Amino acid sequence: MSQTDTLPRQDDLPPSFTSQDLVTDQDVRWCPGCGDYSILKQVQKVLPEFGLKKEEIVFVSGIGCSSRFPYYMNTYGMHSIHGRAAAIATGLKITRPELSVWVISGDGDSLSIGGNHTIHLLRKNPDLNLLIFNNQIYGLTKGQFSPTSPQGKVTKSSPMGSVEHPFNPLALALGADASFIARSIDRDPAHLQAMIRRSHAHKGTSLLEVYQNCNVFNDGAFFTFTDRATKSDSVVVLEHGQPLLFGAERRKGIRMDGGGTPKIVDLDADGYAESDLWIHDEKDLFKASLLARFFDNPTEPGALPRPIGVFYAVERPCLEAMVHRQLTYAREKFGEGNLDKLIEGDSTWVIR
Amino acid sequence: MSNIQTKTNVVIRFAGDSGDGIQLTGSQFTTAAALSGNDLATFPDFPAEIRAPAGTLAGVSGFQLHFGSTEIYSPGDLCDVLVVMNAAALKANLKQLKPGGIIIANLDGFDEKNLRLAKYAEGENPLNDKRLEDYLLHSMPITKLTRTALKDLGLSPREMDRSKNMFVLGFLYYMYNRPLEATIEDLQKKFAKKPGIAEANVRVLKAGYSFADTTEIQHGRFEVKAATMKPGTYRSIMGNQATAYGLVAASVKSKLPLFFATYPITPASEILHELSRYKNFGVITSQAEDEIAAVTSAIGASFGGSLGVTASAGPGIALKTEAIALAVMYELPLVICNVQRAGPSTGMPTKMEQGDLLQAIYGRNGEAPVAVVAASTPTDCFEVVFEACRLAVEFMTPVFFLSDGYLANGAEPWRFPKEADLGEINVRFATPDDKQNGTFLPYARDERLVRKWAVPGTPGLEHRIGGLEKEDLTGNISSDPDNHEKMVRLRQQKIDNIAKSVPAQSLDSGPESGDLLVLSWGSTYGVIKTALKQLRSEGVDVAHAHMRYLNPFPANIEELLRRYREVVVPENNAGQLVRLIRDKFLIPAIPHNKIKGQPFTVGEIKNKVWEILKES
């Protein structure tokens, strides 16, 4: 049984609202067949499990297809301006730590125009959830390459192929000292639900990258990872404490050789036991860093499988908790602020 | 014994390297003047470089103090006393000294090297120059005297030299018959953890005092009696400090937690420094990763029910523009403090300007009206930023608070208010009872067209807000043509309605009608007031109105302007308020502009008035 399945429910009480309660009266305007539908559905499905009240939940987004998300969630919501959702959410979370804050963003929104806010969000680590819908394309502006589009990508704005090297979002996030990074795929609902649960459960900023198919401008960008014929050989599902196994029969594995290089081995042909394989450890930054670099072109022969699951999850103090601890400390040390005393200052004189 | 002459007011200008402790010396003397009951105004004038190359003209830092026994409204034009710590300081500031004025010069700052750095010709020393014969020159080897006074304390020459500004201070205390006690107490408090440094400073202060005494300075001593100011308790305060206090006061009175997010920038950073110390008021400060994060996190905090405030200067405000328009669209409270500096672009960071008025009023895409208010003096910053918060909360709108580098760093006595004297700020949160037939309409409005503030955590009011045009009442996305025009006009009318909530524009001084009205805003207030007062004593009575509310204008402004044959608008920009007046009322107001990064002088205002009166 996988570790994500055994994660306890967040609350013993029955949910105070249902998935249906989270549906708004707005028509969903994503293109038919868009991967965003699945993500919306999975979020609506698991959110009632968390023991939250509906009024305590806020979805904040920037601009882009993904950022229409809050309009379809019957919670509090802010659709904002391009790239800034992370900063808006930080201000909200610092001042209202009790709220459950979710940032919904895309690859252009959070890694291009909002890239600065993304790295600083991860560094500061407020307890909120960042979902990046990565479709490797600009959809709302009708098909330009994005900072995650592979080099050579032919788009409207790169007719001879993009000359730009793409970001590896999770490697970038680890560089910013993210305390939680995970990846899932729109077409794997059960896994996506599990990852949303893990994101919510994490204390600190949780970054969940979701591979999302844009069936209009970048159809099939992740088909290798989702097609029945190819996915078992090109995806490795990370489970804490479990060996890195993949392949249709789960007889292929990843082994770290003596030089610290990951290698694909065939348990049967190469004569390895599962215990010889790389055992996934979410707390191990070194391993997580290597896993984040499993970024080969999946169609190249010998490509390492693309990991999905929780790469890294450690606890470190949350921004808003530290901010409020200082407020409490200041009140204890200096007493509740007295405006008259503040204004008066140390040095006054009287004119009669 | 020296004969003590009485003076009604004195302007002292301190000048030296930015590392010479000029600002500190200036503010210490300011405190002493304030404690003696003088009215005063100060003007620090420093280079953008923290430590520009020592001894050079570019590195000269200045601090001007105007104190008196009469009301003081400006830091003064030319100075009576010029203190120069080196040759460059003299070269850069001599033109600011009145004919016959006093020069106090540090002889040790006029050695060969300093003269060369100040770009004096080979073999030329201004202290021996005939040109200085028009002034009373006091040159003394301040560095040497300081080192002598400290020789047994075991300090390095560098440490000793840091105290030399105290020598000047002591000298001036003797000259202006000021007690040393308050400053000694202050130094001991400030260097409580470094008794050696405290001792050095006190010793040099006393040495300067005694030096002045024993050398029997020939020009004698002066006394500036206490000013006849309105009875009450006073303190001295600078504009940025007053701004910080005003924000805390607004938080206390509105019972809204203050969230203040900025990115460090000259000359606004002191507001952040001040506020970051008031955590026991529940004030949260955030030094954001950039200007955009600062304003957007303030918007996020505002959505959550905090008083969201951001501050910056021109370049930073430019970056915040898109987010300010978002807050216009959201209809959430947001206060944006712009401590203006000379632009465009990076411009002259430490120099003042009033160049951002049109940016505040118009600088956004689409029709995005916001309220704009401006402070006139350092102490006025308190009241005006408080008012900005009131308008933001009561009208659910972004509000610009305009200050500038001159107000931010200038100090003056403040007859400070008590919490009980402050006005109310009425917050109107939406409650579950605001649902109509089971639905909550986040953009339903009251008679002033203001919506209620519905914050997360309120059951049943879950709603979405966004930057996309919204349908009236529901806030749902709408591209309906008629709805868009309706919403644009609603948002404009809401801002226009603020005019009904603010006092009518009054005259500061002068006749109710007549030949000329001087119309001003912002930090030009003190200089214009002084100029018009002088003109009045010379027999010319000109009216003066000073505007605090710049968008919307007070309701009576047009009627007021039409009572005068001419209206002149002095501004430290190329003509911005004057453009608004001409545009809105088709009144041919006359611009009077100074764009030098320096405030107007009294003379520049008087001359313009004379010129207009002569022509008309």
Side-chain angles (χ1 to χ4, degrees):
Chain A
M1 175 171 274
S2 82
Q3 193 259 346
T4 41
D5 291 343
T6 57
L7 188 83
R9 292 270 286 259
Q10 306 287 310
D11 196 68
D12 302 330
L13 301 172
S16 63
F17 58 90
T18 65
S19 299
Q20 200 49 43
D21 293 332
L22 292 173
V23 178
T24 65
D25 60 357
Q26 299 296 291
D27 295 330
V28 182
R29 305 247 181 115
W30 288 315
C31 307
C34 176
D36 289 354
Y37 283 93
S38 166
I39 307 174
L40 176 65
K41 193 170 172 197
Q42 310 324 323
V43 170
Q44 288 176 335
K45 196 161 170 114
V46 300
L47 216 52
E49 299 171 9
F50 299 152
L52 300 166
K53 291 183 185 136
K54 200 152 62 89
E55 65 268 19
E56 294 170 344
I57 304 168
V58 186
F59 279 82
V60 185
S61 67
I63 292 291
C65 293
S66 60
S67 289
R68 292 293 180 102
F69 197 95
Y71 283 113
Y72 311 136
M73 288 294 297
N74 192 15
T75 62
Y76 281 91
M78 300 175 93
H79 180 230
S80 72
I81 45 178
H82 210 4
R84 317 302 168 202
I88 291 178
T90 303
L92 178 62
K93 185 68 187 182
I94 294 179
T95 51
R96 297 289 307 275
E98 77 282 13
L99 297 175
S100 173
V101 179
W102 298 73
V103 178
I104 306 295
S105 185
D107 41 315
D109 195 50
S110 65
L111 296 170
S112 192
I113 194 165
N116 196 34
H117 306 306
T118 303
I119 54 175
H120 288 277
L121 172 74
L122 297 169
R123 167 178 76 86
K124 296 183 208 172
N125 198 42
D127 183 19
L128 51 77
N129 312 295
L130 167 61
L131 271 60
I132 299 179
F133 299 6
N134 181 4
N135 57 15
Q136 300 185 345
I137 199 81
Y138 281 67
L140 200 62
T141 50
K142 299 192 171 66
Q144 300 82 12
F145 65 91
S146 92
T148 55
S149 298
Q151 199 166 347
K153 180 77 183 170
V154 173
T155 70
K156 276 194 188 129
S157 56
S158 55
M160 295 174 74
S162 160
V163 295
E164 294 185 12
H165 186 79
F167 263 140
N168 173 338
L170 296 188
L172 177 75
L174 277 183
D177 275 354
S179 63
F180 179 101
I181 57 167
R183 181 188 289 140
S184 192
I185 306 185
D186 56 358
R187 297 195 176 192
D188 190 344
H191 187 265
L192 181 52
Q193 287 172 25
M195 289 303 106
I196 295 165
R197 288 190 190 99
R198 285 294 309 273
S199 293
H200 171 73
H202 177 71
K203 284 292 281 179
T205 303
S206 53
L207 165 57
L208 173 57
E209 178 190 26
V210 184
Y211 283 164
Q212 172 247 323
N213 190 42
C214 173
N215 57 320
V216 174
F217 295 108
N218 199 15
D219 197 25
F222 307 107
F223 278 1
T224 320
F225 309 131
T226 56
D227 262 16
R228 209 169 280 278
T230 51
K231 77 173 180 188
S232 58
D233 280 334
S234 56
V235 173
V236 58
V237 182
L238 304 174
E239 301 282 351
H240 185 60
Q242 299 298 314
L244 264 52
L245 282 169
F246 66 108
E249 307 297 326
R250 289 175 67 78
R251 297 303 290 164
K252 289 208 258 183
I254 310 288
R255 194 181 136 71
M256 191 103 76
D257 76 4
T261 309
K263 280 210 168 122
I264 298 173
V265 295
D266 186 316
L267 292 186
D268 302 320
D270 301 334
Y272 286 109
E274 285 191 8
S275 56
D276 297 325
L277 298 179
W278 172 321
I279 306 297
H280 182 50
D281 180 357
E282 292 173 0
K283 313 276 176 221
D284 189 327
L285 180 60
F286 177 66
K287 282 184 171 173
S289 307
L290 284 179
L291 283 171
R293 294 287 172 185
F294 283 26
F295 208 60
D296 299 339
N297 178 346
T299 57
E300 300 269 313
L304 286 167
R306 193 68 59 96
I308 63 170
V310 177
F311 287 57
Y312 187 60
V314 292
E315 295 248 324
R316 65 180 168 88
C318 299
L319 176 69
E320 72 281 2
M322 291 186 286
V323 166
H324 285 270
R325 267 212 300 280
Q326 285 196 344
L327 297 190
T328 308
Y329 175 79
R331 283 178 158 131
E332 280 166 7
K333 187 159 183 212
F334 307 111
E336 185 69 35
N338 178 321
L339 185 58
D340 283 334
K341 274 195 183 151
L342 172 72
I343 292 176
E344 188 178 324
D346 300 330
S347 186
T348 62
W349 67 95
V350 178
I351 306 268
R352 293 179 204 284
Chain B
M1 277 311 287
S2 330
N3 176 27
I4 298 183
Q5 308 169 32
T6 302
K7 289 219 155 209
T8 53
N9 63 86
V10 172
V11 178
I12 304 182
R13 191 173 177 95
F14 301 87
D17 264 337
S18 39
D20 276 337
I22 294 300
Q23 304 301 324
L24 180 72
T25 317
S27 43
Q28 286 280 13
F29 197 86
T30 303
T31 308
L35 290 174
S36 304
N38 296 133
D39 197 2
L40 57 89
T42 70
F43 176 49
D45 183 15
F46 39 82
E49 297 77 16
I50 302 299
R51 292 273 189 278
T56 63
L57 289 162
V60 175
S61 174
F63 184 99
Q64 188 156 315
L65 164 67
H66 186 189
F67 65 106
S69 56
T70 56
E71 284 164 309
I72 303 292
Y73 303 108
S74 81
D77 296 355
L78 299 178
C79 58
D80 302 286
V81 180
L82 176 63
V83 178
V84 290
M85 298 303 281
N86 63 24
L90 179 68
K91 194 169 196 183
N93 288 284
L94 191 58
K95 59 183 183 299
Q96 309 281 348
L97 181 61
K98 280 181 192 164
I102 298 166
I103 299 171
I104 298 171
N106 176 14
L107 211 48
D108 299 322
F110 286 79
D111 59 12
E112 223 172 279
K113 185 183 171 198
N114 273 294
L115 289 166
R116 196 175 62 245
L117 285 168
K119 300 203 182 330
Y120 279 103
E122 189 72 35
E124 183 191 359
N125 185 343
L127 295 181
N128 309 326
D129 195 306
K130 268 194 176 328
R131 276 172 297 180
L132 285 204
E133 284 175 5
D134 296 341
Y135 306 99
L136 275 169
L137 172 65
H138 280 283
S139 51
M140 55 198 101
I142 294 175
T143 313
K144 268 192 211 94
L145 291 166
T146 299
R147 287 188 187 180
T148 312
L150 300 178
K151 63 175 184 297
D152 59 329
L153 279 186
L155 299 171
S156 69
R158 210 193 153 99
E159 282 170 320
M160 290 196 274
D161 288 355
R162 276 204 201 117
S163 303
K164 67 177 187 282
N165 56 332
M166 288 296 128
F167 193 93
V168 175
L169 201 58
F171 190 89
L172 286 169
Y173 279 7
Y174 179 81
M175 218 169 118
Y176 288 97
N177 197 24
R178 300 275 132 131
L180 299 176
E181 286 72 28
T183 304
I184 292 174
E185 210 174 284
D186 214 44
L187 289 168
Q188 277 160 350
K189 211 189 287 174
K190 189 173 167 197
F191 297 110
K193 285 181 186 154
K194 294 173 182 164
I197 303 290
E199 166 68 16
N201 276 296
V202 171
R203 228 193 244 197
V204 177
L205 180 74
K206 286 180 177 167
Y209 192 91
S210 313
F211 182 82
D213 187 10
T214 50
T215 53
E216 293 249 358
I217 44 180
Q218 49 182 296
H219 49 79
R221 298 169 74 187
F222 303 96
E223 183 164 56
V224 180
K225 294 219 162 69
T228 41
M229 291 157 77
K230 222 172 165 181
T233 310
Y234 285 77
R235 61 165 289 170
S236 170
I237 194 159
M238 298 201 289
N240 274 347
Q241 211 179 0
T243 303
Y245 290 0
L247 291 170
V248 176
S251 165
V252 169
K253 292 298 281 188
S254 64
K255 301 189 175 63
L256 296 171
L258 175 61
F259 178 79
F260 180 85
T262 69
Y263 186 78
I265 188 168
T266 302
S269 301
E270 293 84 9
I271 307 174
L272 171 65
H273 303 168
E274 281 288 331
L275 288 173
S276 61
R277 295 163 47 212
Y278 306 140
K279 293 183 171 39
N280 58 332
F281 285 85
V283 174
I284 298 179
T285 54
S286 166
Q287 182 179 314
E289 61 266 24
D290 60 31
E291 295 281 1
I292 299 172
V295 63
T296 49
S297 59
I299 292 171
S302 174
F303 183 64
S306 286
L307 180 58
V309 181
T310 187
S312 193
I317 299 294
L319 283 165
K320 296 179 199 288
T321 299
E322 186 194 13
I324 295 167
L326 176 70
V328 168
M329 211 52 167
Y330 279 165
E331 300 189 47
L332 279 175
L334 174 71
V335 174
I336 310 112
C337 306
N338 181 353
V339 187
Q340 299 167 94
R341 67 189 215 187
S345 187
T346 310
M348 300 194 286
T350 56
K351 307 298 175 192
M352 62 87 69
E353 201 158 279
Q354 297 183 293
D356 302 344
L357 176 62
L358 294 180
Q359 180 195 38
I361 296 181
Y362 295 122
R364 287 163 295 284
N365 64 312
E367 302 292 345
V370 300
V372 181
V373 291
S376 56
T377 65
T379 59
D380 195 43
C381 288
F382 177 87
E383 224 174 280
V384 177
V385 82
F386 184 91
E387 177 70 346
C389 295
R390 180 186 76 87
L391 294 177
V393 168
E394 294 189 356
F395 286 85
M396 296 290 286
T397 178
V399 179
F400 262 101
F401 161 74
L402 299 180
S403 166
D404 65 39
Y406 176 60
L407 298 179
N409 297 304
E412 63 177 356
W414 185 29
R415 197 169 146 269
F416 52 88
K418 288 273 183 198
E419 181 184 337
D421 307 333
L422 301 173
E424 295 302 317
I425 297 180
N426 298 305
V427 185
R428 299 203 319 153
F429 285 121
T431 68
D433 295 338
D434 284 305
K435 284 210 268 192
Q436 292 166 348
N437 306 322
T439 335
F440 174 60
L441 297 172
Y443 287 85
R445 294 159 197 279
D446 66 11
E447 68 291 349
R448 302 164 309 152
L449 303 180
V450 179
R451 79 183 189 99
K452 282 190 182 173
W453 198 351
V455 301
T458 319
L461 304 191
E462 293 85 3
H463 67 284
R464 275 64 58 194
I465 61 176
L468 286 162
E469 183 58 284
K470 50 182 62 67
E471 186 181 63
D472 190 19
L473 303 172
T474 65
N476 290 332
I477 301 171
S478 169
S479 307
D480 179 77
D482 292 337
N483 176 75
H484 176 53
E485 179 153 345
K486 181 180 185 183
M487 293 306 286
V488 166
R489 294 199 186 284
L490 276 175
R491 287 187 288 262
Q492 180 65 55
Q493 189 58 50
K494 180 181 82 166
I495 296 301
D496 293 345
N497 288 347
I498 290 174
K500 297 173 193 161
S501 148
V502 306
Q505 180 64 50
S506 58
L507 279 183
D508 191 72
S509 64
E512 292 288 327
S513 63
D515 288 337
L516 180 60
L517 172 75
V518 181
L519 183 70
S520 55
W521 68 280
S523 66
T524 54
Y525 175 75
V527 170
I528 294 173
K529 191 174 176 71
T530 309
L532 299 191
K533 201 175 158 191
Q534 288 183 13
L535 282 169
R536 212 159 287 128
S537 69
E538 292 160 21
V540 180
D541 197 7
V542 166
H544 179 205
H546 194 80
M547 298 183 74
R548 169 182 287 185
Y549 299 94
L550 293 154
N551 198 47
F553 283 158
N556 67 326
I557 191 84
E558 182 176 7
E559 182 272 324
L560 175 74
L561 298 178
R562 292 200 185 281
R563 286 194 246 140
Y564 300 88
R565 234 156 29 92
E566 305 274 11
V567 175
V568 63
V569 186
E571 294 178 85
N572 290 116
N573 58 38
Q576 300 199 4
L577 176 61
V578 74
R579 208 174 283 251
L580 295 170
I581 297 292
R582 287 167 165 235
D583 171 41
K584 282 187 201 238
F585 309 123
L586 295 176
I587 288 174
I590 304 162
H592 180 40
N593 309 109
K594 179 174 183 180
I595 322 161
K596 295 176 187 293
Q598 300 286 340
F600 281 107
T601 63
V602 169
E604 286 163 348
I605 300 294
K606 285 169 76 176
N607 288 344
K608 186 67 184 180
V609 169
W610 281 119
E611 180 194 313
I612 294 170
L613 291 179
K614 248 180 242 157
E615 280 170 10
S616 64

